[in-house]
Amino acid sequence: VRCIQIYHGGYETNWDHHANLAKQHRELCGETDQPIAGLLTDLKRRGLLDSTLVIWGGEFGRLPVSQDNNGRDHNPHGFTMWMAGGGVKAGFSYGETDELGYRAVSNPTHVRDLHATILHLMGLDHERLTFPFGGRDQSLTNGLGRVVHEIMA
Protein backbone atom coordinates (compact mmCIF):
# COMPACT_ATOMS: atom_id res chain seq x y z
CA VAL A 1 0.00 0.00 0.00
CA ARG A 2 1.56 3.27 -1.11
CA CYS A 3 -0.42 5.60 1.13
CA ILE A 4 -3.22 5.41 3.68
CA GLN A 5 -5.06 8.08 5.62
CA ILE A 6 -6.44 7.56 9.09
CA TYR A 7 -8.93 10.19 10.13
CA HIS A 8 -10.28 10.76 13.61
CA GLY A 9 -13.43 12.79 14.05
CA GLY A 10 -16.39 13.68 11.95
CA TYR A 11 -19.21 16.17 11.76
CA GLU A 12 -20.33 15.94 15.38
CA THR A 13 -17.01 15.03 17.01
CA ASN A 14 -14.04 16.79 15.49
CA TRP A 15 -10.95 18.80 16.37
CA ASP A 16 -12.35 22.18 15.26
CA HIS A 17 -13.02 23.58 18.73
CA HIS A 18 -13.81 27.22 19.23
CA ALA A 19 -15.23 26.63 22.72
CA ASN A 20 -14.56 24.21 25.59
CA LEU A 21 -11.13 23.54 24.16
CA ALA A 22 -9.58 21.90 27.23
CA LYS A 23 -12.46 19.47 27.77
CA GLN A 24 -12.96 18.54 24.12
CA HIS A 25 -9.28 18.15 23.27
CA ARG A 26 -8.71 16.11 26.43
CA GLU A 27 -11.43 13.69 25.26
CA LEU A 28 -10.13 13.44 21.68
CA CYS A 29 -6.52 13.05 22.82
CA GLY A 30 -7.66 10.29 25.15
CA GLU A 31 -9.22 8.52 22.17
CA THR A 32 -6.15 8.84 19.94
CA ASP A 33 -2.97 8.85 22.04
CA GLN A 34 -2.88 5.13 22.80
CA PRO A 35 -3.83 3.97 19.28
CA ILE A 36 -1.17 6.24 17.73
CA ALA A 37 1.45 5.00 20.19
CA GLY A 38 0.38 1.44 19.32
CA LEU A 39 0.71 2.11 15.59
CA LEU A 40 4.20 3.58 15.96
CA THR A 41 5.30 0.79 18.32
CA ASP A 42 3.95 -1.89 15.97
CA LEU A 43 5.60 -0.34 12.91
CA LYS A 44 8.92 -0.12 14.75
CA ARG A 45 8.70 -3.69 16.11
CA ARG A 46 8.01 -5.03 12.60
CA GLY A 47 10.87 -3.03 11.09
CA LEU A 48 8.48 -0.91 9.02
CA LEU A 49 8.84 2.50 10.65
CA ASP A 50 11.96 3.39 8.65
CA SER A 51 10.02 2.97 5.41
CA THR A 52 6.64 4.28 6.63
CA LEU A 53 6.04 8.01 6.87
CA VAL A 54 3.56 8.91 9.60
CA ILE A 55 2.19 12.47 9.59
CA TRP A 56 -0.08 13.94 12.24
CA GLY A 57 -1.74 17.30 11.74
CA GLY A 58 -4.99 19.17 11.70
CA GLU A 59 -6.72 21.68 9.51
CA PHE A 60 -5.17 24.87 10.91
CA GLY A 61 -2.94 26.22 13.58
CA ARG A 62 -4.67 27.86 16.52
CA LEU A 63 -4.54 31.47 17.68
CA PRO A 64 -3.80 32.27 21.32
CA VAL A 65 -7.20 34.05 21.45
CA SER A 66 -10.82 33.31 20.63
CA GLN A 67 -13.80 35.40 19.67
CA ASP A 68 -16.01 33.39 22.00
CA ASN A 69 -15.85 31.24 25.13
CA ASN A 70 -12.70 29.30 25.92
CA GLY A 71 -11.62 27.94 22.57
CA ARG A 72 -9.07 29.13 20.05
CA ASP A 73 -9.68 30.49 16.56
CA HIS A 74 -7.99 29.38 13.33
CA ASN A 75 -4.44 30.59 12.75
CA PRO A 76 -2.91 30.53 9.26
CA HIS A 77 0.41 31.93 10.60
CA GLY A 78 1.48 29.21 13.02
CA PHE A 79 0.80 25.50 12.79
CA THR A 80 2.10 22.42 14.58
CA MET A 81 2.28 18.91 13.21
CA TRP A 82 4.57 15.95 13.69
CA MET A 83 6.13 13.37 11.45
CA ALA A 84 7.72 10.03 12.30
CA GLY A 85 9.59 7.33 10.41
CA GLY A 86 9.92 7.41 6.64
CA GLY A 87 13.27 9.21 6.64
CA VAL A 88 12.61 12.06 9.09
CA LYS A 89 14.81 12.74 12.12
CA ALA A 90 13.51 11.24 15.36
CA GLY A 91 12.96 13.52 18.33
CA PHE A 92 13.61 16.61 16.24
CA SER A 93 11.76 19.92 16.25
CA TYR A 94 11.90 22.29 13.29
CA GLY A 95 10.59 25.84 13.57
CA GLU A 96 8.73 27.62 16.31
CA THR A 97 6.16 30.34 16.86
CA ASP A 98 6.47 33.48 18.93
CA GLU A 99 5.81 33.27 22.67
CA LEU A 100 2.06 33.71 22.09
CA GLY A 101 1.77 31.06 19.39
CA TYR A 102 0.62 33.64 16.86
CA ARG A 103 3.23 33.64 14.08
CA ALA A 104 6.07 31.38 12.96
CA VAL A 105 9.34 33.10 13.85
CA SER A 106 11.91 30.35 13.32
CA ASN A 107 12.15 28.30 10.12
CA PRO A 108 8.71 29.23 8.78
CA THR A 109 7.61 26.56 6.33
CA HIS A 110 4.94 27.18 3.71
CA VAL A 111 2.40 24.45 3.01
CA ARG A 112 3.99 24.11 -0.47
CA ASP A 113 7.29 23.25 1.26
CA LEU A 114 5.50 20.69 3.41
CA HIS A 115 3.93 19.13 0.30
CA ALA A 116 7.25 19.10 -1.55
CA THR A 117 8.93 17.46 1.45
CA ILE A 118 6.24 14.80 1.88
CA LEU A 119 6.39 13.95 -1.83
CA HIS A 120 10.20 13.77 -1.64
CA LEU A 121 10.02 11.42 1.35
CA MET A 122 7.63 9.25 -0.68
CA GLY A 123 10.13 9.11 -3.53
CA LEU A 124 8.37 11.62 -5.81
CA ASP A 125 9.80 14.79 -7.32
CA HIS A 126 7.29 17.59 -6.74
CA GLU A 127 8.61 19.47 -9.77
CA ARG A 128 8.01 16.53 -12.12
CA LEU A 129 4.66 15.38 -10.70
CA THR A 130 2.26 17.32 -12.92
CA PHE A 131 -1.17 17.02 -14.45
CA PRO A 132 -2.70 18.87 -17.41
CA PHE A 133 -5.39 21.42 -16.57
CA GLY A 134 -6.60 24.50 -18.40
CA GLY A 135 -4.07 24.06 -21.20
CA ARG A 136 -0.97 23.85 -19.03
CA ASP A 137 0.72 21.49 -16.60
CA GLN A 138 -0.17 22.03 -12.96
CA SER A 139 1.48 20.66 -9.83
CA LEU A 140 0.87 20.57 -6.11
CA THR A 141 3.59 23.17 -5.53
CA ASN A 142 3.57 25.01 -8.90
CA GLY A 143 7.36 25.26 -8.80
CA LEU A 144 7.30 27.21 -5.54
CA GLY A 145 7.84 24.42 -3.01
CA ARG A 146 11.17 23.69 -1.34
CA VAL A 147 12.09 20.29 0.06
CA VAL A 148 12.98 20.81 3.73
CA HIS A 149 16.09 18.62 3.93
CA GLU A 150 16.82 19.79 7.48
CA ILE A 151 14.17 17.46 8.92
CA MET A 152 15.55 14.35 7.23
CA ALA A 153 17.59 11.66 8.95
Side-chain angles (χ1 to χ4, degrees), residues 53-141:
L53 178 63
V54 181
I55 304 167
W56 176 266
E59 60 170 345
F60 287 100
R62 290 295 176 172
L63 287 168
V65 296
S66 178
Q67 294 174 341
D68 53 70
N69 291 330
N70 55 358
R72 291 172 65 189
D73 290 335
H74 295 166
N75 183 2
H77 306 294
F79 180 75
T80 301
M81 63 185 311
W82 60 260
M83 302 167 87
V88 299
K89 290 181 187 176
F92 177 73
S93 179
Y94 183 79
E96 62 184 67
T97 61
D98 59 32
E99 64 277 1
L100 298 176
Y102 177 69
R103 184 175 298 279
V105 294
S106 170
N107 297 320
T109 304
H110 194 278
V111 69
R112 290 183 299 255
D113 302 336
L114 175 64
H115 289 160
T117 303
I118 290 169
L119 289 170
H120 178 81
L121 289 166
M122 293 176 65
L124 300 169
D125 182 347
H126 72 99
E127 293 181 345
R128 296 187 63 217
L129 184 64
T130 62
F131 59 95
F133 181 78
R136 69 183 192 105
D137 284 344
Q138 303 287 330
S139 75
L140 187 59
T141 60

